[in-house]
């Protein structure tokens, strides 16, 4: 099933509209090309809707949000969702500033996202709301371990139910869930944290996978998360003693370029809860 | 002749002003350094003219155009042209949104470009105009092949005559033409399409080549297109089985760094029509 | 001592706020991760102060300054300085346009910088002031050599005294000085000049080193400059015949990833004047 998700990206070559940060945008474009999709970046409010209209999916990443691009994010997201095109939100740094948190909430209110992908801290910020007393949601630990996995899964499913989106929460164990089922994913390598933008790249990849598999949002998002993790492992196996995070970055994108459905099926390590 | 164009870049080290997109800007800067030129990026309207004044050439790329940078593009382009410095236009995505198409036309109207470099679809959009009935120009096919080459060449020459610019139309066969002569170039590798920004890099490279050879715009632009294609071939020959598009990107820039006039002369494959 | 500066970065993992240019921002983020720090990029005026508040250091680089980001630079810099957090200025292109020069001066006036890092031309522009008659400061040559080193050191020390900042002036011999002492550093490789953004990366690295060693600004900045130079040498030793500036870029960041205090101590070449 996960392999099929990947193969459908290579077959349909979806064009993905990215309003994303300028730190990791080049890697996002190259990973989209590596997986068989095509990127377009357009963040002016005057063309955001048009570009989302002609694309198969839209990826909104608030990593370097600003007053000029926030209106474009809202317009692109609303237009894509109105057309039934999948929209992914990457709430980079939600919780780190009022602007980021408020913008993420505004996007959640106004745009019907297909997938929300972030780290534990970002997802917790969005799930727990502004100014709400800390309820059960707040009890999820910052680090997902085998011990607290059931609670973390319940937390992610609850947020998925509330938003109607698939939630992809990245961590030591990645959790990708809709309201009913959760993929708990064990792929990846800790050294991925020493590269800027593996999360941003994963969000772009997720947009491509979901755009190519609109009837299977959960499986498509899980496949993207597994693909990134598997490629983090493949790329790590390729490191020579002098290679560091810069070469590792290239090798991960290279691995996505070569990844096929059969390898993804074989190397994906997950359980469904 | 093409080799001389390259050597003149290494001799004169032209400083190139780039108002370009934030997706591929780093690769544009590194390819300019690789070929022996120097990059400067400055997109604020308050310094655009001054920076173009002190540079030998200006490269305008609308890949992530916005309301803030469009006025800077116009000012920089007009100032450079007024001083007789070559200006290159890369109309990224012209035809994909009204903003891109309208901006490209406004730039064409107000700036006297030395070279316009784009893919077939972008060049067709510019050549056929907005709201015009489709005339003979529109008959050029989206894919240039040996069969339709004469028509494509006629189309490119006609657009060159109309604009007074050298036109560099990238495709399976690249066509670089002024009103009289066309270089039909067979270098390159299809895998170059799996890297973001090989077109943007080529436009930056073209600006450097034309700035270093102002009396030979056509040959300089053709040399830049051949250089990029030859380096795509050299870099492809260097790929190991695990290398994908990310490593390929680095290898192409590396190849530009090492390319000399003699190799360019020997490996360039073209005919003049 | 220099090795200890490096080890303190790995121990304290400082979060560094960067308002920097979009040309080299990805490399700045990856080099910060490589050295053991964490990057955050945030250039909207509405969050600049908040982000600088939660970071251990702030790095301001005017490489692609614009009307939107200049106010954010001022706010972030003032807030960080008010909290006693180190702030680094990289006055990219000061002297090349009035906007750059005026912005650099305004930043100098309003922000209490811990370190100012630039090339000889940029530092001279800042030291000699706008509209001042050329005094003794102006006599520093554009290229620092063994012959003019005493004058250059005196020039840098004088500017350090005047600003209260540590000055790191990059060149054939790097000079890092406060008002009293100057590290004259002989590490590095000329090929580093063929990569875009080694200076920007060094400024980011310097912010991390100073943030992790607030009581030793001079030694921390000198350690960062030595580290960059040593890694330029290590990476150069790793180049294969087909590698050019793009691979070299990756290898330098890789080398920073692997650099330890012992290697830095052993390979740093400097004298104190």
């Amino acid at each position: 099933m996960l392999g099929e998700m990947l193969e459908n990206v290579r077959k349909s070559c979806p064009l993905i509209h990215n309003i994303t940060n300028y730190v990791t945008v080049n890697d996002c474009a190259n990973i989209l090309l590596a997986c068989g999709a095509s990127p377009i970046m357009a963040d002016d409010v005057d063309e955001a809707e048009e570009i989302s209209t002609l694309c198969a999916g839209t990826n909104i990443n608030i990593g370097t949000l600003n007053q000029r691009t926030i209106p474009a994010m809202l317009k692109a997201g609303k237009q894509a969702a109105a057309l039934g095109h999948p929209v992914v939100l990457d709430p980079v740094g939600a919780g780190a500033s009022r602007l980021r948190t408020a913008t993420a909430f505004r996007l959640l209110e106004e745009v019907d996202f297909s997938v929300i992908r972030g780290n534990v801290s970002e997802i917790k910020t969005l799930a727990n709301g502004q100014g709400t007393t800390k309820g059960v949601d707040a009890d999820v630990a910052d680090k997902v371990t085998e011990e607290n996995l059931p609670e973390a899964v319940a937390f992610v499913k609850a947020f998925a139910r509330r938003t109607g989106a698939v939630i992809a929460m990245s961590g030591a164990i990645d959790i990708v869930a809709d309201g009913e089922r959760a993929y708990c994913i064990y792929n990846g390598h800790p050294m991925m944290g020493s590269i800027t933008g593996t999360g941003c790249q994963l969000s772009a990849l997720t947009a491509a996978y979901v755009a190519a598999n609109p009837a299977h949002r959960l499986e498509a998002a899980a496949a993207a998360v597994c693909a990134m993790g598997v490629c983090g492992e493949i790329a790590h196996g390729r490191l020579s003693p002098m290679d560091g995070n810069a070469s590792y970055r290239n090798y991960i994108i290279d691995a996505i370029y070569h990844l096929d459905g059969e390898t993804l099926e074989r190397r994906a390590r997950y359980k469904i809860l």
Side-chain angles (χ1 to χ4, degrees), chain A residues 94-131:
Chain A
S97 76
R98 281 164 300 180
L99 179 67
R100 282 167 198 255
T101 308
T103 302
F105 278 111
R106 190 165 167 210
L107 284 161
L108 278 187
E109 262 171 50
E110 300 194 18
V111 177
D112 187 15
F113 286 102
S114 301
V115 184
I116 302 166
R117 196 222 61 83
N119 63 30
V120 179
S121 157
E122 291 153 357
I123 298 296
K124 278 176 68 175
T125 296
L126 298 191
N128 294 335
Q130 279 176 309

Side-chain angles (χ1 to χ4, degrees), chain A residues 30-273:
Chain A
N30 273 326
I31 208 163
L32 283 169
L33 287 160
C35 79
S38 283
I40 185 164
M41 277 67 181
D43 66 14
D44 195 84
V45 72
D46 278 4
E47 66 169 351
E49 286 171 302
E50 253 178 301
I51 298 292
S52 270
T53 300
L54 72 88
C55 287
T58 294
N59 174 36
I60 296 175
N61 174 310
I62 65 168
T64 52
L65 82 178
N66 63 59
Q67 300 304 343
R68 190 182 65 71
T69 54
I70 293 167
M73 293 176 186
L74 289 161
K75 278 205 164 183
K78 283 194 268 196
Q79 174 70 0
L83 295 168
H85 301 176
V87 192
V88 173
L89 173 65
D90 189 332
V92 180
S97 76
R98 281 164 300 180
L99 179 67
R100 282 167 198 255
T101 308
T103 302
F105 278 111
R106 190 165 167 210
L107 284 161
L108 278 187
E109 262 171 50
E110 300 194 18
V111 177
D112 187 15
F113 286 102
S114 301
V115 184
I116 302 166
R117 196 222 61 83
N119 63 30
V120 179
S121 157
E122 291 153 357
I123 298 296
K124 278 176 68 175
T125 296
L126 298 191
N128 294 335
Q130 279 176 309
T132 63
T133 55
K134 294 205 171 191
V136 70
D137 283 353
D139 291 340
V140 70
D142 281 327
K143 198 171 155 57
V144 176
T145 61
E146 211 55 48
E147 285 65 45
N148 64 25
L149 188 58
E151 287 164 49
V153 164
F155 161 80
V156 174
K157 283 183 177 173
F159 185 47
R161 267 193 298 274
R162 182 138 55 92
T163 55
V166 168
I167 307 300
M169 186 170 85
S170 299
I173 305 171
D174 303 311
I175 300 174
V176 183
D178 60 14
E180 305 299 321
R181 279 183 315 146
Y183 283 78
C184 305
I185 298 171
Y186 295 81
N187 292 108
H189 191 281
M191 191 176 158
M192 296 171 81
S194 70
I195 304 171
T196 192
T198 46
C200 303
Q201 293 173 51
L202 175 52
S203 294
L205 200 67
T206 300
Y209 274 59
V210 175
N213 299 280
H216 300 280
R217 288 192 303 164
L218 176 63
E219 292 75 15
V225 172
C226 287
M228 195 73 194
V230 164
C231 288
E233 297 165 12
I234 292 172
H236 193 267
R238 195 185 156 189
L239 291 173
S240 74
M242 294 190 87
D243 284 337
N245 60 331
S247 291
Y248 190 33
R249 178 261 304 267
N250 291 311
Y251 295 166
I252 291 176
I253 299 174
D254 284 353
I256 291 284
Y257 182 85
H258 287 292
L259 190 68
D260 58 30
E262 190 273 322
T263 306
L264 178 58
E265 289 283 357
R266 184 165 39 80
R267 293 193 60 148
R269 288 179 292 128
Y270 61 90
K271 63 183 178 195
I272 297 175
L273 287 186

